Every structure is written in structure tokens, then in C-alpha cells.
Amino acid sequence: MKPAPFDYYAPTTVAEAVEKLAELGYAGKVLAGGQSLIPAMNFRMARPGALVDLGKIKELAYIKPQADGSVAIGTMTRDTAVEEDEFIRKNFPIVAETVSYIAHKQIRNRGSFGGAIAHADPAAQIPALAVLLDAKLKVLSTDGERWEDAVDFIIGPFMTTLEPQELLAEVVIPPLPANCGCSYQQVSRQKGGYAQAAAIAKVVMDGDKVKDAQVVLFSVGETPIRTEQPNKVLAGMVPSTELIESVAEYVGANECDPGTDLHGTEEYRRNLVKVLVRRALLDAIERAKK
Amino acid sequence: MANKVKINVTVNGTQYEREVEPRLLLSDFIRKDLGLTGTHVGCEHGLCGACTILMNGQAVRSCTHFAVMADGADIKTVESLGTMDNLHPIQEAFMEKHALQCGFCTPGFLMTAVEYLEGNPNPTDEEAREAIDGNFCRCTGYENIVEAVKLAAKKMADH
Ligand SMILES: Cc1cc2nc3c(=O)[nH]c(=O)nc-3n(C[C@H](O)[C@H](O)[C@H](O)COP(=O)(O)OP(=O)(O)OC[C@H]3O[C@@H](n4cnc5c(N)ncnc54)[C@H](O)[C@@H]3O)c2cc1C
Ligand code: FES
Ligand code: FES
């Protein structure tokens, strides 16, 4: 058999799950959709002593609109369920759009929304989206609950502030402001493949001037990168093509840290960032005006 | 030695109760424990799609699941589609359009297409391509597979 042996637990409630995690400590690991963990175990790159499978915990899979316009997504909500949800498509179209770029249907049918954030793959869509949209994360353990902003939760490649006895339970996405447009842009070797570089933009307009312009990059550094130049240059301005070009140029040169691998050189990826930031900003501004 | 776990799964309409090691992959459970060798394994890490099955009606990779995760699930493998003298429209379409050569990838394509066509009975060329973007074929060059998916849609509509 490919994976190394492990003990398996399949609790049906959150209370049981956090108890089991507390008991197992460093030997325990959460199994969510398994779409990242099981391949890693098949290679024996991961050899957890015990898995706590969240698959049977019904109370962790939901999409709940909140009174303040935000949406609460239970960690075990599968990517496909998020992508196809009517409320999400209407109120957070960028979430459905971004999720649709993850791998292939067979993987999105099983991969979980929260699991992707807990996994913190620098090439993954959902952690970057969570950072862009200022998502708040609910973390549970036998000590109770704590809340953390996605941007603080992700601390390195495949690294978060989660302790072994903790469980990511819920992701809350605050409402998008009025006159806001978002855009997802990536380049990958093939449809469904990991992005070589990607940018997600969120722009709020005030008439024909930019009020706020946020761009998060991923796959070009150790974590999702919240860039600063777009808002520094564009806030309060009428966004001319020249301004956007100059912002994109700056971000490609100074605000990302791509490496060189089989699929592309650092130089190539910096160039991709430049192109993708420009496309994302232009598209987001167009959408914000509608 | 890890604990063994009792599971209950329905595969192609038959209910099975088995004790399995937690690390047993669902693909190996289907092939070795149940003897249903129609489900093929290529990469065993989620990349190639050869091991695609339906779990509660959704296409998933059986190599990125442990058998224990399928406890209580309803599973369909390629063996559920048709018989030699009564092929499923998708199987007919693959045969008529020469959508296979060695056939290794075919079960995965068929199961992927079954799920897809249920929700999208009339795919365009572009959509048919997208539907199978998670499956590798090293022989055909994909053109005939895309043709077969579209023909299957037509056959299923006429059914
Ligand atoms: C061929 C292939 C292509 C892929 N392509 C992409 C892609 O393009 N983009 C992309 O973003 N992803 C991609 N993925 C990964 C996929 O999206 C994963 O499903 C996802 O990243 C992790 O979610 P999961 O639910 O499967 O988590 P699992 O694999 O079950 O878990 C991943 C890690 O997170 C931890 N974890 C999960 N949930 C929790 C929780 N609630 N609390 C605490 N810890 C938790 C686990 O312990 C584990 O360490 C791909 C996977 C495959 C096999
Ligand atoms: S064998 Fe499962 S995806 Fe390749
Ligand atoms: S027919 Fe040989 S791999 Fe597809």
C-alpha cells in the first residue's frame, strides 16, 4: 500500500473532533477533502500517525448568509458547492469565479473551501481570495474558539498559525462595498493546472475615480502577496491606462518574489505578474462601473 | 499496526460490508478487494483521472480517497454503465468515434463524461473539452474523445 499506516477516526460532531485532536496532539492530523493530503501521503511525504476525518461532520458544511451581508462558509463545504451556490454567485461572484479555476471538477467535488486555507499552498486560489476579501477565520479547540484574519493566519508556504489540536471551522467573508468590481486572472500551462502566476483585484469606484484598489498575487512568492502600489497610486485618481501600466510594471518588478522552475523562469513570471495585474485592474474597474 | 475499520459501501447497486486498513486507497479497494478492475490507476496522486468513479453521483478520483472515506457512500464504477450487448450511449459513442486506442484512460473519461452530461446535455465543442480537462490520454490526441462526448450527448437526448 502506498501510504504509511495510521489510525483513523471519523467523528460525527465538532465536539468529538476537537477532543480527539486534543488527545492526539502532534500525532494527529485533520483529513478534510484529502485532495492535497492523500497525494502527499501516497508519496509518503506526509506520514501522520492518526487522521481525524471531518467528512462525517454535517455541521461543518454550510453556506449561511448573515444579517450584515457577510457570508459564513463552513470549512467542509466542497468547492463545487461554493461555486454553484446561488447566493454566492449573486453577492460574491468573484468567489465562484476564483473557485472555478481550481484543478478539475473531480477535485473540486471533494476539495473543501476551508481545507485549502488550512493547507496554505502558495499556489492555491482560496487562500489568496481569503486575503483579498479580508476573510475572518473561526478556529476551534477544546479551549474554545478564536478568530483570526486570513492575512495573519497564513504565515508561510504550507504554514499557518493552526496548532495541531486546532480545527479551522468557518470562513466569514464580509460584504463587498457598493460600486465594487473584482477580477481573477491567471496563466497556467494547461486548463486546471496550477497557476504559474495569478492576480485577483478588487476595486471600489467613486464616480470616475478610484476609491480603493487592492490586488493580491499568488504562485509568485511564499504566501499570497497583498500588494501596496495599486492603492498608493490609484486611490483618488481617474484610472488612465498609463497609470495602470505603471502600477503593473512596478508590482512585477518590486512586489513579488517568483522562483525559477521547470515551467518558467523568474523573469518570465515577473512579466506574467505585470500582464496579469494590468488585466485584473482594467477588468475590475470595468465591472465596478456597472 | 493501525486499527481496522468496518465500512459499508454500495458499489454498482451491491452492498458490501468489509473491514479495511485505513490506509487502503479506495481505488485499491475497488480493484483488489472487490475485483472490479475496470477502474484503472495511472498516477495514484490525483493527476491523470484514470481512476475516476462516481461517489454519490459526483465524479471523483478514487486514488485520492481512502476506502474508509466511502463508508455509507453510493459508488458507481465503469462496470455499472453497460454490458457487452447493451452498451451505454457513452460507450457506443466512444466506439463509433474511435475515442480510444490502448483504452487505459477510457474508464476515467467515461465516468467523467457521465457526470458531466447529466448536468449539461448539450455541450458545445469548448464545453466538451472543458468537461474532460482533468483526464489524461496518452494515445488519441483528444480530438476523437471530444467528438465522442458530443455524440454521446446526442445519443442520450434521443434515448
Ligand atoms: C491534481 C490536483 C490538482 C490540484 N490543483 C489545484 C489548483 O490548481 N489550485 C488549488 O488551490 N488547489 C489545487 N489542488 C488541491 C485541492 O484544491 C485541495 O483540495 C485543497 O488545497 C485542500 O483541500 P482538502 O479539503 O482536499 O484538504 P486535505 O487534503 O484534506 O488537507 C490539506 C491540509 O490541510 C489540513 N486541514 C484541512 N482542513 C482543515 C481544517 N478544517 N482544520 C485544520 N486543518 C485542516 C490538513 O490537515 C492537511 O494538512 C489540486 C489537487 C490535485 C490532486
Ligand atoms: S490514478 Fe487517480 S488520478 Fe491518476
Ligand atoms: S487510449 Fe491510450 S491512454 Fe487514452
Side-chain angles (χ1 to χ4, degrees):
Chain A
M1 280 183 240
K2 294 204 131 193
F6 56 87
D7 285 322
Y8 175 80
Y9 304 95
T12 54
T13 65
V14 173
E16 279 172 68
V18 290
E19 257 177 42
K20 191 43 92 180
L21 286 171
E23 180 192 316
L24 291 166
Y26 281 94
K29 200 163 189 47
V30 167
L31 172 65
Q35 301 306 290
S36 294
L37 183 55
I38 297 175
M41 289 175 68
N42 285 353
F43 283 118
R44 299 209 178 186
M45 288 187 319
R47 307 178 65 142
L51 291 184
V52 178
D53 184 356
L54 305 185
K56 288 201 169 154
I57 308 182
K58 294 211 173 70
E59 58 183 317
L60 282 177
Y62 53 83
I63 296 171
K64 282 186 202 150
Q66 313 282 90
D68 65 354
S70 62
V71 64
I73 303 178
T75 188
M76 283 303 290
T77 313
R78 312 286 174 168
D79 295 345
T80 307
V82 173
E83 195 183 342
E84 292 175 353
D85 185 77
E86 282 308 318
F87 180 81
I88 298 264
R89 294 178 81 94
K90 179 153 180 283
N91 298 285
F92 299 91
I94 189 62
V95 174
E97 185 178 339
T98 301
V99 168
S100 76
Y101 281 90
I102 299 171
H104 315 284
K105 183 80 191 316
Q106 298 106 317
I107 288 161
R108 294 196 299 278
N109 278 342
R110 297 300 288 173
S112 67
F113 193 78
I117 301 174
H119 189 51
D121 184 335
Q125 279 81 0
I126 298 172
L129 183 70
V131 169
L132 178 76
L133 300 182
D134 303 310
K136 309 249 177 294
L137 310 177
K138 179 161 102 179
V139 175
L140 297 178
S141 69
T142 46
D143 294 338
E145 71 176 55
R146 67 179 178 91
W147 285 87
E148 195 166 27
D149 290 347
V151 68
D152 301 323
F153 178 82
I154 299 164
I155 53 178
F158 305 101
M159 279 189 281
T160 67
T161 62
L162 272 183
E163 295 290 335
Q165 75 280 7
E166 288 183 322
L167 184 77
L168 172 61
E170 184 177 276
V171 183
V172 176
I173 303 176
L176 295 174
N179 308 314
C180 171
C182 297
S183 176
Y184 179 91
Q185 301 290 333
Q186 75 165 41
V187 166
S188 62
R189 287 292 297 269
Q190 84 272 6
K191 181 95 200 2
Y194 279 101
Q196 298 199 62
I200 326 179
K202 175 181 157 212
V203 177
V204 185
M205 296 297 287
D206 180 8
D208 55 2
K209 293 203 177 113
V210 171
K211 192 165 158 200
D212 184 51
Q214 300 297 330
V215 178
V216 169
L217 311 172
F218 68 91
S219 247
V220 288
E222 298 201 323
T223 60
I225 299 168
R226 191 178 241 176
T227 61
E228 289 174 4
Q229 192 73 359
N231 203 43
K232 219 188 258 171
V233 172
L234 296 173
M237 303 293 283
V238 176
S240 66
T241 318
E242 294 72 42
L243 269 187
I244 289 172
E245 287 282 357
S246 77
V247 166
E249 185 89 37
Y250 183 91
V251 171
N254 303 295
E255 290 203 89
C256 57
D257 185 21
T260 293
D261 66 19
L262 266 181
H263 305 297
T265 60
E266 176 189 336
E267 192 191 356
Y268 172 66
R269 287 208 165 99
R270 284 193 187 277
N271 196 50
L272 286 184
V273 168
K274 195 172 85 185
V275 172
L276 295 171
V277 167
R278 186 190 61 208
R279 284 185 194 160
L281 281 170
L282 285 171
D283 189 36
I285 290 166
E286 245 352 271
R287 288 176 173 186
K289 286 180 178 165
K290 276 185 191 146
Chain B
M1 189 61 206
N3 56 345
K4 279 210 173 186
V5 178
K6 190 187 281 180
I7 59 168
N8 250 302
V9 256
T10 306
V11 181
N12 302 337
T14 308
Q15 221 184 324
Y16 298 91
E17 191 182 290
R18 292 288 156 101
E19 282 218 338
V20 297
E21 239 191 284
R23 63 173 169 155
L24 178 69
L25 294 176
L26 182 55
S27 43
D28 287 335
F29 173 74
I30 291 169
R31 289 177 54 82
K32 297 184 179 152
D33 291 40
L34 304 185
L36 297 167
T37 53
T39 299
H40 289 174
V41 289
C43 66
E44 296 194 272
H45 58 269
L47 266 179
C48 74
C51 67
T52 302
I53 57 161
L54 299 186
M55 194 166 173
N56 301 324
Q58 288 186 314
V60 306
R61 322 266 214 219
S62 56
C63 75
T64 54
H65 286 80
F66 297 116
V68 286
M69 295 164 85
D71 182 36
D74 181 41
I75 285 174
K76 293 231 159 39
T77 68
V78 71
E79 285 90 346
S80 71
L81 291 185
T83 58
M84 286 301 266
D85 7 273
N86 186 18
L87 293 178
H88 188 283
I90 292 184
Q91 292 169 313
E92 277 177 17
F94 268 64
M95 194 172 76
E96 285 166 32
K97 289 290 175 187
H98 300 287
L100 59 149
Q101 289 178 25
C102 79
F104 192 85
C105 66
T106 313
F109 274 98
L110 294 175
M111 299 315 283
T112 302
V114 168
E115 184 211 27
Y116 179 78
L117 291 173
E118 242 144 57
N120 308 270
N122 194 14
T124 61
D125 223 76
E126 183 62 28
E127 288 165 348
R129 271 172 207 285
E130 220 170 275
I132 53 162
D133 68 12
N135 294 69
F136 289 176
C137 173
R138 296 281 94 134
C139 302
T140 63
Y142 302 102
E143 293 301 330
N144 290 353
I145 299 180
V146 174
E147 289 305 311
V149 171
K150 288 192 301 178
L151 177 62
K154 219 180 267 140
K155 282 177 182 278
M156 285 167 77
D158 296 344
H159 234 60

